[in-house]
Amino acid sequence: MDSSLYVFVEDLRGEGAAAVVDRAVGEYGVRGVTVGAAYHRTRDVTPHGARRVTPRRDGAHFPIPDGLFTGRLRPPVQPGAEGRPLDDARRETARRGAALHGWAVFLRNETLGEAHPDLTPEDCFGDRGAPADLCPANPPVREYAVDLARAVARQGVDTVAAEALHFGEFGAEACAVPLGPMDAFLFGLCFCEWCLRQAEDFGVDAAAARQECRRVVGAVLDGGPPAEGAVTRAALTAYAGPEVVAYARARTETVTSLVSEVTAAVRAEGARLVYLDPAGAAKGSADGAPTGPYAAHEAWRFGVDVVALGDIVPSYGVRAYARDPSRVGGDVSAYRRSLGAGTELRVVLRPGAPDTDSAEHLGAKVAAARAAGADAVDFYHYGLVPYAVLERIPEALVRQ
């Protein structure tokens, strides 16, 4: 069974690429490393890093290749990129006979969003309050995504693992209004001119959908009761009307066509795309206790059509962030059925808190993923957990 370990460039720089790869492949027994080639702004606790708290910036960890990013958007370049840390990773994985996967965050870039607010999502009230997200329907954003895919592929990686290549969700630094899940979903829909055009091309009355979202969300913001229950198409139809649901459905074509372009670009550079589905992380990231429908059945909320992407991408990555091995198996099985047998299915597991307590626990989840149809299991994340947690990986893999 194939496997890899997610690694930050800061890990390679702080401990040395040879030491990290030797530990990942030699001690933990994985068959590759997945290195963050282009990441987003964050601040992480890093137990064994050069710093115990590591701030990260938006942008690429490599010099920008010539001939790319000639449009409006150009990724910021991370400090130290001139040292070409991915070259070190490529050399060390080749020495070990291991795979090198280039992990890139595509449409989450606060630096670019703040500089180009017109390329960020526009909510039903006409406001643009999510500078970290770029709208996948916007032509300059789509051009940027294709160029970023090409740029990462040119770093000599075997695959490009694409994160945040979809629509985002509603988020706010502070919200004292008790929005229900459906209210938050409606508040997170983008109504920029390009999303409106896409919906109208599919016969949707986009103006009516926008007006209905304004009415529903506005009533809650004015003090009305929030909607109860999970976000399903049937519940949304009853709550906000069929045009809103049709509008949400049209977003899947935006994502599907963009992923198709990115897949082709990566293939042209001699690499393979791994599409990272967002739903599993959204459901279980906080506490490892996802409830309700399996993640595969909720990917549509991000504009992701799992069945359609299964016909496009060579490899599909899902985050099975759950404590319960049976939930892991159920989630993986649902994705396997939706994707079909021809698409590689990679399952991402967290070896530590809040999902996993021991090597036996991790092994049970690896076994559940494999039995449900996973082709590979990846572990998240080298730099974010203590060495003692990472030492659970080899025992979990040996049990298979």
Side-chain angles (χ1 to χ4, degrees):
M1 191 178 192
D2 195 13
S3 56
S4 79
L5 179 61
Y6 277 74
V7 174
F8 285 128
V9 162
E10 290 86 352
D11 300 323
L12 302 177
R13 188 176 292 124
E15 301 180 32
V20 173
V21 173
D22 283 348
R23 186 174 284 118
V25 179
E27 294 184 30
Y28 305 148
V30 297
R31 297 185 179 182
V33 294
T34 302
V35 179
Y39 205 61
H40 64 93
R41 187 183 302 176
T42 185
R43 187 170 182 266
D44 299 326
V45 174
T46 46
H48 52 85
R51 303 173 62 169
R52 295 305 179 104
V53 176
T54 300
R56 309 188 199 280
R57 304 183 185 183
D58 295 311
H61 283 287
F62 51 84
I64 303 303
D66 293 337
L68 297 179
F69 304 107
T70 58
R72 287 184 60 188
L73 296 179
R74 184 179 180 88
V77 176
Q78 300 266 18
E82 68 279 358
R84 295 185 177 274
L86 295 178
D87 289 358
D88 295 337
R90 184 175 63 229
R91 182 181 62 252
E92 295 303 329
T93 50
R95 178 176 64 84
R96 276 285 193 172
L100 176 62
H101 309 284
W103 168 33
V105 177
F106 277 75
L107 306 186
R108 186 178 305 127
N109 192 306
E110 196 165 352
T111 302
L112 293 180
E114 289 174 341
H116 304 275
D118 60 309
L119 304 184
T120 63
E122 178 180 333
D123 65 32
C124 58
F125 300 105
D127 299 322
R128 296 180 185 269
D133 294 329
L134 301 172
C135 175
N138 209 303
V141 173
R142 296 172 72 88
E143 181 182 358
Y144 166 79
V146 170
D147 281 353
L148 182 59
R150 288 187 177 277
V152 175
R154 288 183 190 179
Q155 306 312 305
V157 299
D158 296 293
T159 72
V160 175
E163 180 179 347
L165 195 57
H166 50 74
F167 284 96
E169 287 191 301
F170 169 77
E173 293 293 327
C175 181
V177 179
L179 297 173
M182 284 192 286
D183 304 312
F185 175 78
L186 298 176
F187 212 169
L189 291 176
C190 178
F191 289 92
C192 74
E193 63 171 305
W194 300 102
C195 284
L196 292 171
R197 288 186 189 183
Q198 175 73 40
E200 289 164 357
D201 287 345
F202 277 83
V204 178
D205 188 339
R210 182 173 195 167
Q211 185 59 39
E212 195 62 15
C213 283
R214 284 179 179 172
R215 182 190 67 78
V216 172
V217 178
V220 178
L221 295 179
D222 289 339
E228 302 292 338
V231 182
T232 67
R233 293 186 179 96
L236 278 173
T237 300
Y239 185 56
E243 286 300 329
V244 172
V245 176
Y247 187 87
R249 283 181 182 274
R251 304 196 313 162
T252 61
E253 176 57 30
T254 297
V255 173
T256 298
S257 60
L258 178 57
V259 173
S260 180
E261 292 176 28
V262 168
T263 301
V266 170
R267 185 186 303 117
E269 299 292 340
R272 298 167 62 246
L273 185 82
V274 180
Y275 182 79
L276 295 178
D277 185 290
K283 290 181 70 68
S285 183
D287 57 8
T291 59
Y294 290 131
H297 302 150
E298 296 204 349
W300 66 272
R301 291 167 51 180
F302 301 86
V304 174
D305 183 334
V306 181
V307 174
L309 294 188
D311 293 332
I312 294 171
V313 302
S315 183
Y316 202 95
V318 302
R319 282 88 152 204
Y321 291 173
R323 291 186 55 82
D324 184 354
S326 66
R327 176 72 190 207
V328 171
D331 269 322
V332 174
S333 181
Y335 276 108
R336 180 80 283 169
R337 290 192 299 271
S338 296
L339 292 168
T343 304
E344 180 188 57
L345 179 56
R346 305 189 70 96
V347 176
V348 184
L349 299 174
R350 294 187 293 192
D355 298 349
T356 309
D357 299 326
S358 65
E360 292 80 9
H361 190 189
L362 183 60
K365 292 196 286 187
V366 172
R370 184 174 188 175
D375 300 299
V377 61
D378 303 324
F379 300 98
Y380 187 93
H381 180 291
Y382 178 84
L384 299 181
V385 299
Y387 288 134
V389 169
L390 295 167
E391 289 165 3
R392 297 169 179 170
I393 295 173
E395 184 177 340
L397 290 176
V398 166
R399 288 170 176 269
Q400 307 314 304

